[in-house]
């Protein structure tokens, strides 16, 4: 699944890129790779048409923060949570 989603992500239309990145992040989470999951979730958040207010974008940022926390990167996770609260 990871190979297919990775190739699809590179070729996906702008409007589909976020959904593909979220699917890839979920694969990374399921396979115990929180760093890659966090990166993919942040890519999904940035792919949104309105990254500061889009619900899916905010959920992707929160998922990225959770994965960063799992890695012990609590300061990075806290900065993401604070950004979510401000927006």
């Amino acid at each position: 699944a990871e190979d297919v989603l990775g190739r699809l992500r590179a070729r996906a239309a702008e409007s589909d890129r976020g959904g593909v990145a979220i699917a890839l992040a979920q694969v990374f989470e399921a396979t115990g790779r929180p760093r890659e999951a966090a990166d993919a979730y942040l890519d999904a958040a940035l792919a949104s048409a309105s990254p500061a207010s889009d619900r899916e974008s905010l959920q992707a940022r929160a998922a990225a923060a959770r994965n960063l926390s799992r890695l012990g990167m609590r300061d990075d996770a806290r900065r993401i949570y604070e950004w979510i609260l401000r927006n």
Side-chain angles (χ1 to χ4, degrees), residues 46-69:
L46 295 174
S48 172
S50 179
S53 62
D54 182 303
R55 180 179 175 174
E56 189 172 279
S57 173
L58 296 174
Q59 289 174 336
R61 288 176 193 275
R66 279 193 310 275
N67 280 282
L68 291 172
S69 287

Side-chain angles (χ1 to χ4, degrees), residues 35-86:
R35 179 62 178 160
E36 291 89 343
D39 288 342
Y41 277 125
L42 289 174
D43 286 346
L46 295 174
S48 172
S50 179
S53 62
D54 182 303
R55 180 179 175 174
E56 189 172 279
S57 173
L58 296 174
Q59 289 174 336
R61 288 176 193 275
R66 279 193 310 275
N67 280 282
L68 291 172
S69 287
R70 288 183 187 126
L71 288 168
M73 300 175 74
R74 289 181 175 40
D75 289 338
D76 293 322
R78 185 177 57 250
R79 280 192 284 277
I80 292 173
Y81 285 129
E82 288 170 351
W83 186 93
I84 291 170
L85 289 173
R86 286 191 310 267

